[in-house]
Amino acid sequence: MTDMMKAVRLHEFGGPDVLRYEDAPRPEISADDVLVRVHAASLNPPDLYLRDGYRVLPPEWHPSPRFPLILGTDVSGEISAVGENVTQFKVGDEVYAMVRFPHDLMTGSNAYAEYVRVPTSDLALKPSGVDHIQAAGAPMSLLTAWQFLVDLGHDEPNPFQIFAHAPEPLDGKTVLVNGAGGGVGHLAVQIAKWQGAKVIAVASSKHEALLNDLGADIILDYTKAAAETVAKDVDLVLDAVGGAGMERFLPCIRQHGALFLVNPLGFSGHHEAARRKITVSTTQVRSNGAQLAEAGRLLDNGSVRVVIDSTYPLAQASAAHRRASEGSIQGKIVLDVA
Ligand SMILES: NC(=O)c1ccc[n+]([C@@H]2O[C@H](COP(=O)([O-])OP(=O)(O)OC[C@H]3O[C@@H](n4cnc5c(N)ncnc54)[C@H](OP(=O)(O)O)[C@@H]3O)[C@@H](O)[C@H]2O)c1
């Protein structure tokens, strides 16, 4: 008989209420995988997009997966079994991962569950200085900030542009982070500071105290004044919000500076950027255990902190998704699976 576990599954696309806490078969692993007993799993925007059937995309790109499916990419937990080829990890190791992304973008990576199958290439030892809730909050947001700002870490084709994204040295530069209180934004602020940049953080006022604490040099409340009319001669803008009007940042960037778009869909400023000699670049985050091990050292020694917006028991994943839909997230929303 198949071993069972608790998981949050969906049997149809829709709003937060389609998430059902129920029994599901425990995943089986192959030779290069480990089975992780999940202690915590965090929410990321792709979880909400997939729950909703990627309605934001044109109909021909809508997924048609086999239901039921299990959302979630980011986990922290403990290894409960290893495949026969696995030598670098052992049963009992505490680990964290962003699981099979973007490989399983349209089917779900199965993290909202008591057990998840993780390829060792996606896996790193959990930084011992943080607990499972914080570690689960890190992977996708941390890897996104890392791959945009520090090291791309792979040579896979870029789905958004014909050239590879290339991070730039930030020491002594002025970096503006838009969406600085969010999952990607709050980690990008800290990574840019760690690299020696002066950081302008753009966020609503509710995040001001936090961003001061995280070392932002200047904080601009976009609800009071448009940041791009206040900031001048910025070397790099990292827009961790997306949506309409991303090109408005171009005038506050100096010539030969750069605009990095974490969510590039809808950007229409390529001509103006070329005229102003500004590089516009984006990339899609990819699972990478080696980078999680490297960036994890910053979590371990406290140079980078994962901020938790809220935690919910796994059984209340619907409530967690409702919180995410309200927006104005500060750091990460995490499901407690322990
Ligand atoms: N390229 C990739 O591979 C990749 C990877 C991860 C995420 N993403 C994308 O990046 C975006 C951010 O992801 P996330 O996980 O960081 O989301 P998140 O945690 O929801 O953070 C978004 C933040 O943006 C702020 N915000 C909303 N409207 C704003 C505005 N008009 N101006 C300035 N700030 C605003 C929000 O707070 P306040 O309004 O309170 O300031 C919130 O803190 C999403 O669109 C996601 O899909 C892309």
Side-chain angles (χ1 to χ4, degrees):
M1 206 186 88
T2 319
D3 283 336
M4 299 299 281
M5 64 175 182
K6 288 291 184 195
V8 171
R9 306 201 293 184
L10 50 154
H11 298 256
E12 59 183 327
F13 292 130
D17 291 337
V18 299
L19 298 174
R20 284 201 219 153
Y21 180 71
E22 59 191 18
D23 291 322
R26 232 184 245 195
E28 287 173 7
I29 57 170
S30 59
D32 297 309
D33 297 326
V34 306
L35 187 67
V36 172
R37 169 73 174 92
V38 179
H39 286 248
S42 71
L43 271 63
N44 285 285
D47 307 352
L48 277 75
Y49 304 149
L50 180 57
R51 188 206 72 216
D52 217 20
Y54 273 94
R55 273 192 306 169
V56 289
L57 295 178
E60 60 274 22
W61 292 353
H62 288 183
S64 42
R66 254 206 352 240
F67 289 106
L69 55 85
I70 303 177
L71 303 176
T73 56
D74 285 8
V75 291
S76 181
E78 188 179 324
I79 295 181
S80 64
V82 298
E84 62 207 34
N85 293 345
V86 175
T87 52
Q88 66 275 51
F89 296 99
K90 61 182 189 317
V91 170
D93 281 349
E94 297 199 313
V95 289
Y96 76 140
M98 177 176 81
V99 184
R100 297 186 302 276
F101 193 86
H103 187 270
D104 287 357
L105 175 76
M106 294 296 187
T107 53
S109 295
N110 297 359
Y112 294 2
E114 287 180 324
Y115 291 87
V116 64
R117 173 178 76 84
V118 186
T120 52
S121 55
D122 297 355
L123 198 68
L125 291 176
K126 177 181 82 62
S128 54
V130 299
D131 61 21
H132 284 294
I133 298 283
Q134 289 167 308
M140 180 174 283
S141 296
L142 183 61
L143 285 173
T144 303
W146 197 262
Q147 291 172 15
F148 268 86
L149 297 180
V150 182
D151 176 25
L152 183 63
H154 65 82
D155 53 11
E156 298 293 330
N158 188 326
F160 301 123
Q161 62 193 28
I162 53 173
F163 57 94
H165 174 74
E168 301 193 350
L170 296 184
D171 194 14
K173 302 273 182 66
T174 301
V175 177
L176 183 148
V177 177
N178 189 39
V184 175
H186 86 290
L187 295 172
V189 165
Q190 297 175 76
I191 285 173
K193 282 303 296 176
W194 168 72
Q195 288 183 298
K198 172 183 165 187
V199 174
I200 304 173
V202 180
S204 65
S205 56
K206 101 171 223 201
H207 308 297
E208 188 178 339
L210 171 71
L211 290 165
N212 256 320
D213 221 37
L214 298 181
D217 298 280
I218 297 173
I219 300 161
L220 299 178
D221 179 353
Y222 71 90
T223 65
K224 300 210 172 97
E228 64 279 9
T229 61
V230 181
K232 300 237 173 333
D233 289 328
V234 171
D235 295 290
L236 168 68
V237 170
L238 178 83
D239 184 357
V241 178
M246 290 174 263
E247 43 288 338
R248 71 187 185 280
F249 287 111
L250 291 169
C252 74
I253 302 173
R254 65 160 177 79
Q255 229 184 47
H256 305 295
L259 172 58
F260 290 172
L261 303 171
V262 178
N263 183 349
L265 301 179
F267 179 73
S268 63
H270 288 289
H271 288 298
E272 190 191 341
R275 189 172 60 74
R276 292 177 179 272
K277 300 188 169 47
I278 291 169
T279 303
V280 177
S281 184
T282 184
T283 187
Q284 183 176 44
V285 68
R286 293 192 77 85
S287 293
N288 190 323
Q291 286 186 328
L292 279 183
E294 204 183 338
R297 285 201 275 274
L298 302 183
L299 302 184
D300 230 347
N301 68 22
S303 326
V304 169
R305 180 151 73 85
V306 181
V307 171
I308 303 303
D309 176 279
S310 43
T311 58
Y312 294 81
L314 179 65
Q316 289 173 26
S318 294
H321 272 232
R322 273 191 285 277
R323 162 69 196 101
S325 307
E326 288 164 8
S328 209
I329 298 168
Q330 184 171 87
K332 300 296 300 182
I333 301 170
V334 180
L335 300 172
D336 190 340
V337 189

